Amino acid sequence: MTREDAAQAPEKTPAPRHGSGRNPREHRQCAPSEPIARTPSDQPFATMEAVVERVNMLKALKRVETNRGAPGVDGVRTEALRAFLITDWARIKVELLTGTYYPSAVLGVEIPKPGGGVRQLGIPTAMDRMIQQAIHQVLQPIYEPEFSESSYGFRPGRSAHDAVRQARANVASGLRWVVDMDLEKFFDRVNHDLLISRLRRKVTDKRLIAVIRRYLQAGMMQGGLVTQRVEGAPQGGPLSPLLSNVLLDDLDKELERRGHAFCRYADDCNIYVRSSRAGERVLGSITDWLWKHLRLKVNAEKSAVARPWSRKFLGYSMTSESTPRLKVSPKSVERFKVKVRDLFRQGRGRNLKRFIVNDLNPVLRGWINYYRLTETKTVLEELDQWIRRKLRCVLWRQWKRPLTRFRNLRKRGLSEERARQSASNGRGPWWNSGASHMGAAYPNRTFESMGLISLLNYRR
């Protein structure tokens, strides 16, 4: 969504009140930048006092301001959050410490999923994002040291690239079958009671537990109507990723207890075994275990036991060699092409150089930065050729009339006869974009001079 310019002054219109509003008394005004009593050294770390502690709240505030993001149901943007805190932070702090704070509903937003369908997001208000971030900062140091080494999602110092590298190492070690397990609508199906019971293993502060449960149960507003939730941990807030790891850590520990090699990134889990029979046995037993212990379902249609090179993991696949090499999965290539096609449709009629620099290159850089681990260069070479052909196609469409095409081909160095025949050949734009006359008129070095990056060379 479009973000307001950070230099704009905060809105001066009164913002809606957050929290329960159950205490009618007015509190003195203060912002998180004012002194807040520090947690006594003899108190456990996972307390509400630790959450609202001054340094912790300032860190959470800065993180939310840096991340920005869309406003929640109250319309308050992150740029206006500090101004809002000046008038309401004292009240909210008291409600958090007394256990009477109630979060606002989240704003329901649907975004398209790469593989089709939609993903449901729940966008908290800026205030609730700040509080969730503060809770996250308190809980993460407690849980992080005990998480599995095979868990990579939403963890500091770990990334999808680390998970992909470990997946390749598992296959290279001789585990050449994969149990590709898809959890059915995981974030929509999280059982609140089970998750809270896992939190209580380490968190004894009832106020902190209560506010986390309220965040899980906060209503979702869509189309002006608020619906209550009895299950699920909606994506969109800072706390949901950590809570997902807290719950799925039980799965990690069970896989470790059984001696399996696996990689898990959020709800995407691959288990590596030596045979198809072993894979089928593992898939069946883990499916039963997940339902019995975590009330989570495995999507039978999307899960499978197969060779790793016939499946994808976090957008990557690999070759079938004894020492496998990473490559971009075919589905990831097709999704990339769809995105680039949409970009070209939006850029029709624009100056080609500005389109390359301002619109196309940022997309190319983002994509290749993620897929820079690929060790097979053929697909990158083919994509580079395809992108240059799309650019030649744009030029041919812009020229429109045969006379304009003739003149432009002549300017680009073609002979008069060749330019005349090419300009009036009656073929369509895509055919001409791949023909030799456009290749001669606009060789690869021309697009390089315009600033176009090469996926193959940029990866290096």
Side-chain angles (χ1 to χ4, degrees):
M1 297 184 181
T2 303
R3 296 170 178 170
E4 294 178 350
D5 190 325
Q8 287 182 339
E11 297 178 4
K12 297 183 179 180
T13 53
R17 290 170 63 85
H18 287 248
S20 64
R22 294 186 176 186
N23 190 337
R25 294 180 298 175
E26 293 294 329
H27 300 283
R28 69 179 181 86
Q29 294 183 355
C30 73
S33 57
E34 296 184 5
I36 298 176
R38 290 186 178 274
T39 307
S41 59
D42 59 343
Q43 286 186 352
F45 184 67
T47 64
M48 191 58 75
E49 282 79 10
V51 172
V52 301
E53 194 265 341
R54 177 175 178 268
V55 173
N56 189 56
M57 290 305 303
L58 280 173
K59 182 180 177 182
L61 173 61
K62 292 175 182 177
R63 181 65 178 268
V64 170
E65 288 177 330
T66 300
N67 291 342
R68 297 189 179 183
V73 295
D74 61 357
V76 175
R77 304 188 70 87
T78 55
E79 296 90 340
L81 183 55
R82 284 183 184 255
F84 174 69
L85 289 169
I86 291 175
T87 60
D88 280 56
W89 171 243
R91 170 181 62 81
I92 293 170
K93 178 187 172 185
V94 169
E95 290 178 359
L96 287 168
L97 290 172
T98 57
T100 59
Y101 180 80
Y102 282 81
S104 301
V106 297
L107 181 63
V109 177
E110 292 183 343
I111 61 172
K113 295 173 68 174
V118 295
R119 176 177 287 113
Q120 180 71 62
L121 299 185
I123 309 300
T125 62
M127 171 61 70
D128 282 325
R129 288 208 294 275
M130 184 185 72
I131 296 171
Q132 285 193 35
Q133 179 63 34
I135 295 173
H136 181 280
Q137 291 164 185
V138 167
L139 295 184
Q140 187 180 62
I142 297 173
Y143 286 97
E144 178 62 30
E146 297 188 10
F147 283 153
S148 169
E149 286 296 313
S150 298
S151 167
Y152 294 90
F154 312 123
R155 297 183 60 189
R158 287 169 168 257
S159 67
H161 285 169
D162 296 325
V164 169
R165 290 189 187 99
Q166 185 58 52
R168 177 183 57 185
N170 288 338
V171 176
S173 71
L175 304 174
R176 297 175 71 80
W177 288 85
V178 61
V179 180
D180 187 356
M181 194 166 57
D182 181 87
L183 297 180
E184 188 175 283
K185 297 183 178 179
F186 168 75
F187 284 94
D188 297 332
R189 300 282 173 81
V190 169
N191 184 286
H192 292 171
D193 291 335
L194 284 171
L195 176 53
I196 293 298
S197 72
R198 269 58 180 176
L199 289 170
R200 282 177 175 155
R201 294 172 181 173
K202 294 183 178 294
V203 180
T204 58
D205 191 321
K206 294 181 179 179
R207 299 165 299 174
L208 188 49
I209 291 292
V211 78
I212 292 174
R213 183 183 282 275
R214 288 168 189 163
Y215 274 120
L216 291 171
Q217 295 177 339
M220 180 175 290
M221 178 178 287
Q222 285 183 298
L225 299 176
V226 176
T227 57
Q228 298 302 313
R229 296 200 314 273
V230 295
E231 63 178 2
Q235 301 177 76
L239 198 52
S240 293
L242 176 61
L243 295 181
S244 70
N245 276 334
V246 169
L247 184 64
L248 289 176
D249 187 57
D250 277 17
L251 170 62
D252 298 341
K253 296 298 190 290
E254 177 63 17
L255 293 173
E256 289 175 342
R257 187 187 68 79
R258 298 184 185 194
H260 291 309
F262 68 96
C263 293
R264 183 178 67 80
Y265 192 95
D267 57 336
D268 197 346
C269 184
N270 277 6
I271 307 168
Y272 298 89
V273 295
R274 294 188 180 277
S275 68
S276 175
R277 179 179 295 182
E280 295 293 348
R281 184 171 61 250
V282 169
L283 179 58
S285 62
I286 290 298
T287 297
D288 294 340
W289 186 93
L290 280 166
W291 177 249
K292 180 179 179 181
H293 293 274
L294 300 181
R295 287 294 182 265
L296 294 173
K297 291 183 178 180
V298 172
N299 189 322
E301 293 183 359
K302 295 183 178 181
S303 301
V305 177
R307 294 292 194 179
W309 43 89
S310 67
R311 305 292 290 183
K312 66 180 181 69
F313 180 55
L314 301 178
Y316 280 87
S317 187
M318 59 185 76
T319 64
S320 59
E321 300 156 334
S322 57
T323 302
R325 293 179 297 153
L326 293 174
K327 64 178 185 178
V328 186
S329 75
K331 287 186 178 180
S332 298
V333 172
E334 187 53 41
R335 285 199 297 268
F336 171 73
K337 285 188 171 183
V338 169
K339 186 172 184 178
V340 171
R341 285 190 191 103
D342 290 341
L343 196 65
F344 271 95
R345 290 191 193 99
Q346 297 167 13
R348 284 179 182 173
R350 296 184 56 185
N351 175 275
L352 198 62
K353 185 173 182 178
R354 285 200 297 269
F355 170 75
I356 288 173
V357 173
N358 298 331
D359 300 309
L360 183 57
N361 275 351
V363 171
L364 301 184
R365 286 193 192 96
W367 190 84
I368 195 58
N369 277 336
Y370 181 77
Y371 288 105
R372 67 179 183 271
L373 298 185
T374 184
E375 298 166 294
T376 58
K377 66 179 184 178
T378 302
V379 67
L380 301 182
E381 291 174 336
E382 291 175 349
L383 286 173
D384 277 340
Q385 293 172 7
W386 179 77
I387 290 166
R388 290 190 292 262
R389 184 171 179 179
K390 292 287 290 183
L391 291 169
R392 294 183 182 108
C393 187
V394 168
L395 288 168
W396 192 264
R397 288 180 184 276
Q398 288 179 347
W399 295 342
K400 294 182 180 179
R401 303 172 67 178
L403 181 58
T404 305
R405 292 168 182 164
F406 169 77
R407 289 173 176 171
N408 281 302
L409 291 174
R410 286 286 291 143
K411 288 178 182 178
R412 298 298 303 177
L414 271 66
S415 67
E416 181 176 348
E417 181 61 24
R418 188 180 183 190
R420 181 177 293 106
Q421 291 178 357
S422 299
S424 57
N425 60 33
R427 301 276 191 166
W430 185 245
W431 185 91
N432 278 282
S433 66
S436 60
H437 54 267
M438 282 300 286
Y442 283 87
N444 296 347
R445 63 178 179 274
T446 300
F447 296 117
E448 291 175 7
S449 68
M450 292 181 183
L452 178 68
I453 67 169
S454 161
L455 295 176
L456 180 61
N457 294 335
Y458 193 83
R459 180 201 60 155
R460 297 170 182 167

